[in-house]
Amino acid sequence: MKYYIDTEFYEAGPLVSIKLISIGVVAEDGRKYYAVNKDFDWRVVPADHWLRENVLPYLDIIGAGRPYKTCADIKKD
């Protein structure tokens, strides 16, 4: 079984850990999983960062069916 994974994350440098923003997984048999990390703190991302223009607007679409979950819940899933 093949799984295709796409993530968005923030990394501030070599000494900073990678912070998950969202994850999507599609299995070869058609099953899908998508979640947005509600624990992610957007205050750490600089105002002019690529993520603010190219990711954040798409996560905040009201009614888009994007499940916001804690990191613990995403890990459990």
Side-chain angles (χ1 to χ4, degrees):
M1 176 73 60
K2 291 182 182 175
Y3 294 89
Y4 302 91
I5 301 169
D6 182 35
T7 61
E8 297 295 345
F9 58 88
Y10 178 68
E11 180 182 13
L15 301 178
V16 177
S17 64
I18 295 171
K19 304 292 184 186
L20 179 71
I21 297 172
S22 66
I23 184 168
V25 181
V26 177
E28 197 172 39
D29 63 6
R31 292 176 294 142
K32 297 177 182 179
Y33 177 82
Y34 183 78
V36 177
N37 177 10
K38 74 178 187 178
D39 295 332
F40 183 75
D41 184 359
W42 279 95
R43 294 175 294 181
V44 301
V45 180
D48 62 346
H49 197 281
W50 183 90
L51 287 169
R52 288 198 174 270
E53 183 176 339
N54 296 285
V55 174
L56 182 58
Y58 299 98
L59 299 178
D60 287 345
I61 298 171
I62 303 299
R66 289 169 165 77
Y68 282 77
K69 296 183 174 188
T70 65
C71 270
D73 286 338
I74 292 171
K75 182 179 178 179
K76 186 170 44 174
D77 290 349

